[in-house]
Amino acid sequence: MKGPVLIFDSGVGGLSVAESLRQHYPNTAMCYACDNAWLPYGLRDDGLLAKRIVAVCQAAVDACQASVLVVACNTASTLALENLRDRLTIPVIGTVPAIKPAAAISKTRHIGLLATKATVGRPYTQRLIDNFASDCLITRVAADALVVEAEAYLAGATPDMARMQAGLAPLWAAATPSSSAYPALDTVVLGCTHFPLLKTWLEQLAPVPLQWVDSGDAIARRVTQVVDELISDQPDGRCFTTAPATNLTAGLARYGFKAPQLLDVGMNMGAEHR
């Protein structure tokens, strides 16, 4: 039997990708790994972080004997995707903000990009816009606080609506019709895999109906292109973390994963770099 699909993220955001994959292919065997010891990635040195990502992914691939690795993190994909493909002998699939599909469905040609500060400001994000949405107005909103809310939600807390509302104010302003020369945005790219976990609350807070686009479905389709057979009679469901995370056990179970096991990534890449 082929090994499972391994989904990797800095935190719990990759669970939104796991959910998309499971919706399309419910019998797919999956494992999950997150580098919660170094969360959030956006605050780390790029060079050191790139080495860390390779070390964690290599350890996780070895632990679950994966047949494909999905890097469900924009920052990790930007920094380490090529190194991972050079190091690993299995297919590696990365994540980018869903600018292209958002541009395909926007009627007003005004799109909101809701992402972390690191993703909003990276050159590769601008290249995506230039290549696929050059005729669109892009309102970029850095919403790192939503990562914290998503992590807390998986740990059993209810998202803080007031805190979310404050962080989303620039997005709502662009979505509300006004006397501005620019049309109101009608489509929002969820440019961090954590954000689809909060979609129910985002829809509640939005002042007008919006189209929400994330990378989950595109990643699921890509997985099927690189893996011959996804169906398994014995779904794996193992989860690995780089720091103790018993508070996530119940949340992980909602997405079909077992209680997290501690992953050994080596003494040189441990908590001393936190």
Side-chain angles (χ1 to χ4, degrees):
M1 180 182 296
K2 288 196 172 185
V5 176
L6 172 62
I7 298 173
F8 167 78
D9 189 18
S10 57
V12 301
L15 293 174
S16 67
V17 175
E19 183 176 36
S20 292
L21 188 58
R22 191 166 277 123
Q23 286 175 351
H24 286 279
Y25 310 101
N27 295 319
T28 298
M30 283 186 278
C31 286
Y32 192 80
C34 68
D35 189 12
N36 58 324
W38 273 40
L39 184 71
Y41 272 2
L43 302 180
R44 306 290 180 177
D45 171 77
D46 282 358
L48 190 59
L49 183 55
K51 295 178 181 178
R52 168 74 179 190
I53 292 164
V54 172
V56 174
C57 288
Q58 178 73 72
V61 167
D62 292 343
C64 75
Q65 294 297 296
S67 61
V68 59
L69 170 65
V70 175
V71 182
C73 173
N74 290 283
T75 298
S77 295
T78 305
L79 295 178
L81 201 59
E82 294 308 314
N83 287 341
L84 285 167
R85 287 170 174 162
D86 289 341
R87 176 73 66 88
L88 300 174
T89 58
I90 61 173
V92 180
I93 298 170
T95 303
V96 298
I99 300 292
K100 183 178 180 180
I105 65 174
S106 175
K107 302 300 184 184
T108 65
R109 315 312 291 158
H110 186 175
I111 296 169
L113 172 59
L114 191 65
T116 63
K117 182 179 180 181
T119 295
V120 163
R122 287 192 183 278
Y124 89 95
T125 301
Q126 185 59 52
R127 289 196 294 272
L128 287 173
I129 294 170
D130 292 342
N131 290 337
F132 302 114
S134 58
D135 65 327
C136 297
L137 172 65
I138 309 295
T139 293
R140 309 185 198 206
V141 178
D144 294 71
L146 294 187
V147 175
V148 177
E149 294 300 324
E151 292 284 332
Y153 165 61
L154 259 292
T158 300
D160 187 317
M161 300 292 272
R163 195 154 49 212
M164 288 180 61
Q165 187 75 298
L168 294 165
L171 189 69
W172 302 153
T176 305
S178 67
S179 58
S180 167
Y182 300 110
L185 66 81
D186 64 348
T187 304
V188 179
V189 175
L190 298 177
C192 171
T193 54
H194 279 78
F195 296 171
L197 301 177
L198 301 172
K199 187 176 177 182
T200 296
W201 293 277
L202 292 172
E203 291 175 333
Q204 290 176 10
L205 290 171
V208 295
L210 296 168
Q211 301 179 98
W212 305 88
V213 185
D214 64 70
S215 302
D217 287 344
I219 293 172
R221 289 193 298 271
R222 181 59 182 152
V223 169
T224 63
Q225 292 172 356
V226 302
V227 180
D228 294 334
E229 179 61 66
L230 287 176
I231 304 302
S232 171
D233 294 329
Q234 299 177 3
D236 198 300
R238 282 179 294 168
C239 178
F240 303 93
T241 58
T242 54
T246 55
N247 62 323
L248 297 178
T249 298
L252 288 164
R254 295 202 303 270
Y255 288 85
F257 292 98
K258 301 172 184 176
Q261 306 172 43
L262 202 58
L263 185 69
D264 182 8
V265 296
M267 294 298 292
N268 292 332
M269 297 302 292
E272 68 269 19
H273 295 298
R274 291 184 65 186

